[in-house]
Each structure stands twice: as C-alpha cells, then as structure tokens.
Amino acid sequence: MEPPFFLAKNLKAFGSNSHADTDPYFNLFQAPSTGNRPFVRWWWNGNKVNKNELRRELMLLKEAGIGGVEINPISFPKRTDDLGFPR
C-alpha cells in the first residue's frame, strides 16, 4: 500500500525543482490576470456615496488583488429612513 503522501510526492510537492519550470499552470496561478482574479459584490446604500471615498475603497480592493466589483446601489423609499423604518 502506498503511503498517504503518494499524491503530493507524485506532484513533485517535495521535489527540489522549481514549480515554474515543471508546471505550465504554476505561473498563471501565481500572477493571474485581472479578469481571472476574484470579484466582489458591493451594495451601496442609495445615493449616499462620496466620490473620493469610493475611489479610495476601490483602490484598496485593487491593491488587495480583487479583479472586479459588481456594484448594486439600493435605495429606500422616500417615506422611510435609512434602515427602512417608516417616518
């Protein structure tokens, strides 16, 4: 019977060779293109947004490696407050 680390051993996980030299997909996973990075969904509370703050937060997401943002602005009826409670 093979030892439990058989699969990892066969994948050269314990080898001294560089993965970049032996695995054509290794570099793709190390530095994926923007379109292949994770995307996030961002809910905006109506029109209560500040242009400079949005820019700052989008740059933070980009610096963190996020590839894109789906923005979903929502707004409450004018007869309610920000939490949806009637006035």
Side-chain angles (χ1 to χ4, degrees), residues 1-7 9:
M1 182 172 178
E2 293 291 330
F5 58 88
F6 173 75
L7 180 61
K9 184 177 173 184

Side-chain angles (χ1 to χ4, degrees), residues 48-76:
K48 295 183 179 185
V49 295
N50 177 288
K51 185 177 182 178
N52 291 331
E53 180 62 16
L54 292 177
R55 183 177 288 121
R56 185 188 75 80
E57 291 185 31
L58 287 169
M59 290 306 299
L60 287 173
L61 290 170
K62 182 178 180 181
E63 290 168 6
I66 300 299
V69 178
E70 175 189 327
I71 298 172
N72 292 292
I74 59 171
S75 63
F76 296 101

